[in-house]
Amino acid sequence: MDFSQVLAEKTDTIIDKWVAAVRKDRRIESADDLSYTAVKDHIPDVLKAMVTVLSKHQDNDIQSIVTASFQHGAIRAEQGFDPAEIAREYHLLRTVIFDALQRDLLGGTPVEIIRSMRLIDAIIDEAIARCFKSYVEERFRELQQLQLSLTLHNDELTRLMSANQEYLSQLAHELKHPLTSIIGYSDLFLRQQRRKAGIKDTSANLEHIERVLRNGRQLLHLINDVLELSRYDAGQIKLHLAPTDVCELINNVCEMLEPLAGGKNLKVVVDCDRAPKEITTDPFQCQQIFTNLISNAIRYTESGTIIIMCQVLENQKWAIAVSDTGIGIAPENQAQIFEPYFRVSFSDRPYLPDSTGLGLAIVSRLVKLLEGEIKLVSEVGVGSTFTVILPLRIES
C-alpha cells in the first residue's frame, strides 16, 4: 500500500489540526500572537518532502526536508521561540501525522507499517536536527550583531567620556587663571582698604571683599579638585617615587592646617612613635591624601580632638589613621562616601559651604594609585576614623 498518497491527500487536514494543537498547547506561548500562516511556516514543505520519501515510485527528496526545516528554525528564532517550544511543536506534528494515518496504516502489511513509521520518524528527527541547527546559527548571528553593537556603543561612550574629560579639563584651566587673578586683586584691595581707617564705609567694603575672596577661593578649590580627579581618571598622574619621611610629611600638613583647626579651637594630636622611619612612595600624592583626610576631619568636627596615628604593620605595610569627634557618617552613606560629589548632610545641618564633595573621591583614587586601601569606621554623633594602609616600598 502506498501511504505517501494517503499522506498527500490528508496534508491540509494534518496542517490544520497541527496549527490548532500548537495554538492550544500552553507550553508554546510564543505562538499565541502569531497568525495562522506564521504558525504554519514551512511545515507544508516538510510534509511535501515526507510524501516523496514515503513514495516507492519517486526519488527521495531529502534536500527539501533540509531546506524547509532549516528555514523553519531560522524563522522560529526570529519569532522568539525557545528550543523547548520548537521541540514541542515537532512532537505535536508527529502525533497529528500518526493520528491521521492510523486507520490507513492498520490496513497495510506489517512490513509496510514498519517501513512507513520508521521513515516518518526519521524524517521528523532529521527536520528537528536541521531546525535546531539553523535556530542556533540564527541565535549566534544575533549575539554577534549584539556584541558588535555593544562594542560600537562602548567605543562611542568611551570617546564621549574622554572628550568630556578633555573639555572639562580645558574649561577648568580656562577658569582657573582669571579666578586666580581675581583673588589676587581682591586680596590686594582688601589690604589697602584695611589701611584706610578713616573712610566711613570701610567696614562694608571689607565685608564685600572678604565675601568675594571666600567665594573665589572656594571656586578655585573646586576647580583644582575637578582637575585632580579628571587627571586620575584619564591616567595622567605619574608617580615620582622617592625616600620619604612620613612623620615630617604629617607634621608639615598639620602645620599648614593649624589655622583651620585653631579657628575652631580643635586639638590636633599626632602620634608617630610607631611610624616607619622611611618609606618609598610619591611624597606629593601622599601629602595630598594626608591633607584631604585631616582637613575633612577638621571641617566636620565642631569640638573635640583630631588624632593622627601612624604605625608599621606586618607584610611590609604601614598605616595612618585619622580620627575625629565630628558628626559621623550613617551606615547607609558609608558605601557612597568615596563617590565624586557625594556629601553627607542631616536634616538640621546643610552641606558645609566649603565642601566640594570631591576630597574623599580623590583620596580613594590616590590610595589605589599608591597600591593601598582605605577603611572607614564611623558612628553618627561620635565621629569617624579613616585608616589608609600603604606599602612601605612601591617598586615601580
Side-chain angles (χ1 to χ4, degrees):
M1 187 176 182
D2 189 357
F3 293 110
S4 64
Q5 185 63 33
V6 177
L7 181 60
E9 293 172 357
K10 295 187 176 183
T11 293
D12 291 340
T13 301
I14 290 171
I15 291 173
D16 289 340
K17 288 184 177 180
W18 176 76
V19 171
V22 169
R23 287 186 176 282
K24 186 177 180 181
D25 197 307
R26 290 299 85 206
R27 284 179 280 182
I28 312 178
E29 296 180 356
S30 298
D32 290 349
D33 298 326
L34 297 180
S35 65
Y36 176 91
T37 302
V39 174
K40 182 177 67 173
D41 189 40
H42 288 78
I43 294 301
D45 296 327
V46 174
L47 291 174
K48 182 179 179 182
M50 190 180 294
V51 169
T52 63
V53 172
L54 286 174
S55 174
K56 299 177 181 179
H57 309 292
Q58 300 183 47
D59 295 332
N60 289 350
D61 193 8
I62 296 296
Q63 186 57 44
S64 295
I65 297 173
V66 170
T67 302
S69 55
F70 196 85
Q71 292 172 336
H72 183 72
I75 289 177
R76 285 298 189 249
E78 293 176 2
Q79 292 170 337
F81 278 62
D82 62 41
E85 291 177 318
I86 296 175
R88 181 65 184 169
E89 67 175 2
Y90 272 105
H91 168 76
L92 293 175
L93 179 63
R94 193 192 309 264
T95 301
V96 171
I97 290 174
F98 282 128
D99 285 346
L101 299 181
Q102 181 177 348
R103 186 186 299 270
D104 299 284
L105 286 171
L106 292 176
T109 65
V111 173
E112 290 174 332
I113 295 173
I114 293 173
R115 173 184 178 275
S116 299
M117 292 184 68
R118 282 179 174 175
L119 284 174
I120 292 172
D121 276 334
I123 292 167
I124 293 179
D125 288 342
E126 180 67 20
I128 291 173
R130 297 293 177 175
C131 182
F132 273 116
K133 185 176 186 296
S134 64
Y135 178 90
V136 170
E137 289 180 359
E138 179 65 21
R139 280 284 183 256
F140 184 68
R141 185 186 65 80
E142 291 174 3
L143 285 174
Q144 286 181 316
Q145 289 180 339
L146 179 60
Q147 183 184 22
L148 177 61
S149 177
L150 289 174
T151 301
L152 292 174
H153 286 317
N154 183 63
D155 291 343
E156 180 65 13
L157 286 173
T158 302
R159 186 190 67 78
L160 290 174
M161 288 177 64
S162 299
N164 286 337
Q165 285 180 346
E166 183 179 348
Y167 293 149
L168 184 62
S169 296
Q170 290 176 354
L171 176 61
H173 277 295
E174 292 297 324
L175 288 172
K176 186 175 179 179
H177 296 300
L179 185 59
T180 302
S181 178
I182 290 171
I183 292 173
Y185 279 114
S186 298
D187 190 39
L188 175 62
F189 188 49
L190 180 62
R191 291 197 303 271
Q192 290 175 343
Q193 286 295 103
R194 282 172 176 164
R195 290 197 294 265
K196 297 177 181 179
I199 301 177
K200 294 181 180 180
D201 61 347
T202 296
S203 178
N205 287 340
L206 290 177
E207 183 180 343
H208 292 318
I209 297 170
E210 286 175 350
R211 186 177 296 121
V212 170
L213 274 174
R214 283 197 304 270
N215 291 333
R217 284 169 179 153
Q218 171 61 13
L219 184 55
L220 185 60
H221 178 50
L222 174 60
I223 290 173
N224 286 332
D225 281 353
V226 169
L227 284 171
E228 186 72 17
L229 201 64
S230 64
R231 284 178 61 235
Y232 176 88
D233 290 340
Q236 295 176 350
I237 298 180
K238 305 298 181 184
L239 294 181
H240 301 282
L241 304 179
T244 304
D245 187 328
V246 176
C247 293
E248 182 181 354
L249 206 59
I250 294 173
N251 288 328
N252 290 342
V253 171
C254 289
E255 287 179 10
M256 179 178 62
L257 297 175
E258 184 179 358
L260 183 62
K264 303 175 76 172
N265 294 319
L266 297 176
K267 185 179 181 181
V268 178
V269 177
V270 179
D271 181 1
C272 284
D273 292 344
R274 293 176 291 170
K277 293 182 178 180
E278 188 178 86
I279 62 172
T280 300
T281 188
D282 185 320
F284 178 75
Q285 306 303 341
C286 219
Q287 179 177 300
Q288 289 284 88
I289 294 172
F290 298 164
T291 302
N292 279 328
L293 287 179
I294 298 172
S295 63
N296 252 26
I298 296 172
R299 191 177 293 115
Y300 286 95
T301 302
E302 295 303 321
S303 62
T305 305
I306 309 297
I307 300 175
I308 304 158
M309 295 184 64
C310 187
Q311 63 179 337
V312 177
L313 304 177
E314 297 178 348
N315 301 321
Q316 293 296 303
K317 293 184 178 181
W318 67 283
I320 177 173
V322 179
S323 302
D324 62 58
T325 54
I327 60 176
I329 304 167
E332 62 270 18
N333 292 327
Q334 292 181 18
Q336 300 172 274
I337 199 68
F338 297 106
E339 295 178 5
Y341 304 106
F342 181 82
R343 293 179 291 178
V344 176
S345 65
F346 298 90
S347 57
D348 61 339
R349 180 192 297 270
Y351 297 133
L352 292 182
D354 59 342
S355 172
T356 64
L358 292 174
L360 290 176
I362 293 173
V363 167
S364 68
R365 284 159 171 76
L366 292 181
V367 168
K368 185 177 180 181
L369 187 67
L370 296 179
E371 302 177 11
E373 59 179 319
I374 185 168
K375 298 179 180 180
L376 167 63
V377 176
S378 184
E379 184 178 347
V380 175
V382 176
S384 304
T385 298
F386 287 88
T387 302
V388 174
I389 301 174
L390 295 167
L392 289 172
R393 182 180 298 272
I394 299 176
E395 298 298 334
S396 60

